[in-house]
Amino acid sequence: MPIRQIMAEARRLEILRLLAEEPDETINQREMVTALASLSHGVHPDVVEDDYRRLAELGLVTLETAGRYLMARLTDHGANVAEGKAYAPGVKRYRPD
């Protein structure tokens, strides 16, 4: 598997896990860029937008526009993937330590 794909799958899992940590399970695209950078996943906002759209296609998040940015909200299926209870293609499987 190419390293770019490995990094994208790991980043998408981190997105789901970060959403799961929020009380309302939502984070806008700009805030997600900052959160991912703190986890050594420094990426451009366009990359996060692409990831948000991919996760929405998989039914893991819902999207709405908040000003200039997308807002992602975790779905029940997305929460299950974040916890390792379910699998989604293109998202790294969560394995607790």
Side-chain angles (χ1 to χ4, degrees):
M1 181 181 306
I3 189 69
R4 181 172 286 169
Q5 183 178 351
I6 292 168
M7 295 297 291
E9 290 183 3
R11 187 178 60 247
R12 291 179 192 132
L13 174 62
E14 289 302 328
I15 288 171
L16 296 176
R17 293 184 53 72
L18 287 165
L19 287 166
E21 291 176 6
E22 290 299 305
D24 63 356
E25 297 181 327
T26 64
I27 302 177
N28 79 35
Q29 176 185 355
R30 190 74 199 147
E31 292 168 341
M32 186 60 76
V33 168
T34 302
L36 288 170
S38 73
L39 299 172
S40 300
H41 287 282
V43 293
H44 191 273
D46 290 346
V47 174
V48 172
E49 180 178 345
D50 291 343
D51 285 340
Y52 272 11
R53 292 190 188 286
R54 174 75 175 133
L55 294 170
E57 289 172 5
L58 295 169
L60 305 176
V61 301
T62 58
L63 299 177
E64 61 184 68
T65 302
R68 294 179 15 207
Y69 300 107
L70 286 177
M71 177 78 74
R73 180 178 305 275
L74 194 63
T75 64
D76 289 342
H77 184 51
N80 286 334
V81 172
E83 294 172 7
K85 296 177 181 175
Y87 169 74
V91 179
K92 180 180 176 180
R93 286 183 188 265
Y94 173 67
R95 292 190 171 90
D97 297 331

